[in-house]
Amino acid sequence: LIQTLVFITEYPVAVRGTFHERFLSLPQEVLIAPMKGHQKYFAVKRADGDGLLPYFVTIANMEAPDMSLVERGNEKVLTARLEDAKFFFEEDTKRPLEGYVDSLNQVIYHKKLGTSFAKVERIEALAGFLGERLCPERQRILQRAARLCKADLVTQMVGEFPELQGTMGGIYAAQSGEPEEVAQAIREHYMPVSAEDDLPESLEGAVLSLADKMDTVVGFFGIGSPVSGTSDPFGMRRRAIGILRVLLAKNLDVSLLEWVGKGLEVLGGLVKKEPEAVRQEVVDFFRLRYQQFLLAKGFPHDTIEAVLSRSFENVPDLYRRVETLHKMRLEPDFE
């Protein structure tokens, strides 16, 4: 937001405005979204970090003769936005999050990959596959979180503020009486959104994130829409890097070959190419992403190549092998 404002103002002047305290009953994220996303305002946090204050800071492009007019004008606009957000929140919470799941049948995820409801079913299957291998004692929480993870897409709040998807799902899950572990997993399942973004903290959130991202990657390769050159309209490179980062950070022992195979099995008849060929394409795609990831970490190309050319299944194990070989090469008698 700071960078955006730097480039859209020539003579920046900060103006503090206020809004009614009754809006503070809304979740913090619901207040920040219209301020930051729609109006380019800064929210104002309490000094102790416990919530927000009923203020905002906007950046004007010049010093007006009467800055109070600027202040009142911005307050009026924000009040209307917050009234909308309050209405959406109150309407959405009139029914539990579970009540929105069936409506995903009316939302097309992709014309060749079916509805968002079909995607949820695939995520459930992949989360179950990973859960059996990584955290069998948490399967119940995982399956519940997978069932509800996309339900907020059909709420009014996310319809108005798409950047809140996942976040609102977690909030509405908690409002609906779901366990905190379920709400947290839903909040975290889009993470990481970018190469530098925060990773899921909970294991359930990590597994759900992996299941969602892998379904997307395998799905688009399966229907014959792989990444080519600079074209990556569905952000598959970003998702692949996200998968690698989560596997490494959580040290998750899972066979990439088996996992991709499960993704193809879940897609079933939607796969338009020979499944084994698709699996090899996907694994090669991950291998290339991993090579670039390891190069960015400072490992030599030939060390990476020596390890990755032997096998490509367990991502954390491969990292340890590259790291170990790199240290061995530094020994004076290695050659």
Side-chain angles (χ1 to χ4, degrees):
L1 181 55
I2 290 174
Q3 187 178 44
T4 299
L5 289 164
V6 164
F7 285 109
I8 65 173
T9 57
E10 293 182 80
Y11 187 84
V13 180
V15 182
R16 192 197 75 172
T18 63
F19 58 86
H20 200 284
E21 288 191 10
R22 65 191 172 89
F23 293 118
L24 293 177
S25 63
L26 293 169
Q28 182 172 299
E29 297 88 346
V30 173
L31 293 175
I32 291 174
M35 283 194 234
K36 180 181 177 182
H38 286 198
Q39 301 305 129
K40 305 294 185 287
Y41 298 165
F42 293 102
V44 180
K45 291 186 176 181
R46 294 173 58 91
D48 59 11
D50 185 23
L52 300 180
L53 289 167
Y55 304 115
F56 64 90
V57 175
T58 183
I59 307 298
N61 194 34
M62 61 186 295
E63 183 89 50
D66 184 358
M67 292 304 289
S68 67
L69 288 175
V70 177
E71 181 183 329
R72 288 199 299 273
N74 281 280
E75 288 173 348
K76 186 176 179 181
V77 172
L78 181 61
T79 297
R81 290 284 189 191
L82 294 181
E83 288 285 7
D84 287 345
K86 187 171 185 295
F87 172 77
F88 296 145
F89 184 77
E90 290 171 351
E91 288 297 305
D92 287 344
T93 51
K94 284 181 178 177
R95 53 175 165 155
L97 189 60
E98 169 76 37
Y100 291 96
V101 175
D102 286 343
S103 299
L104 292 171
N105 267 313
Q106 312 303 317
V107 179
I108 298 298
Y109 168 63
H110 186 276
K111 64 182 181 180
K112 293 183 180 180
L113 291 171
T115 65
S116 290
F117 186 85
K119 181 169 177 65
V120 165
E121 291 183 316
R122 296 195 298 271
I123 292 172
E124 287 182 273
L126 287 172
F129 170 85
L130 293 172
E132 285 174 10
R133 287 153 178 78
L134 303 173
C135 51
E137 74 287 355
R138 305 189 192 187
Q139 279 284 40
R140 186 180 62 82
I141 293 293
L142 260 180
Q143 289 301 301
R144 185 62 178 163
R147 167 82 178 169
L148 300 175
C149 68
K150 302 296 183 185
D152 65 348
L153 294 177
V154 288
T155 62
Q156 294 189 59
M157 184 69 77
V158 172
E160 182 69 16
F161 304 107
E163 66 272 24
L164 289 179
Q165 54 191 274
T167 299
M168 292 314 303
I171 291 170
Y172 289 153
Q175 290 265 334
S176 304
E178 299 290 340
E180 171 53 30
E181 299 95 327
V182 170
Q184 183 174 356
I186 294 171
R187 280 197 300 272
E188 294 178 340
H189 88 279
Y190 285 103
M191 301 166 71
V193 175
S194 66
E196 296 80 30
D197 191 30
D198 293 337
L199 298 172
E201 291 184 9
S202 69
L203 182 55
E204 293 91 342
V207 171
L208 202 55
S209 169
L210 292 171
D212 183 18
K213 290 175 173 57
M214 185 59 86
D215 174 67
T216 301
V217 173
V218 175
F220 282 106
F221 271 91
I223 61 172
S225 296
V227 176
S228 59
T230 57
S231 175
D232 187 11
F234 302 104
M236 288 199 285
R237 290 190 183 94
R238 173 170 50 82
R239 285 178 169 83
I241 290 294
I243 287 171
L244 295 171
R245 287 182 63 208
V246 171
L247 289 172
L248 276 172
K250 297 292 185 183
N251 193 26
L252 300 179
D253 181 7
V254 60
S255 164
L256 203 66
L257 286 170
E258 288 182 17
W259 184 15
V260 173
K262 180 64 177 179
L264 289 165
E265 176 192 317
V266 170
L267 281 162
L270 295 176
V271 179
K272 301 304 179 188
K273 300 168 67 178
E274 172 59 40
E276 192 53 44
V278 176
R279 179 158 74 164
Q280 194 57 53
E281 282 183 19
V282 174
V283 171
D284 288 344
F285 177 68
F286 274 101
R287 182 184 282 109
L288 183 57
R289 303 281 83 69
Y290 205 22
Q291 285 175 336
Q292 294 168 344
F293 178 85
L294 292 168
L295 283 168
K297 291 286 184 182
F299 295 112
H301 182 271
D302 52 352
T303 298
I304 297 167
E305 196 58 35
V307 174
L308 298 193
S309 62
R310 181 178 176 274
S311 68
F312 191 78
E313 284 212 43
N314 186 312
V315 169
D317 182 62
L318 289 166
Y319 189 90
R320 290 189 291 269
R321 288 170 183 270
V322 170
E323 196 172 41
T324 302
L325 182 56
H326 179 59
K327 288 176 182 175
M328 289 171 65
R329 291 186 65 173
L330 300 178
E331 296 293 329
D333 60 346
F334 179 78
E335 292 298 339

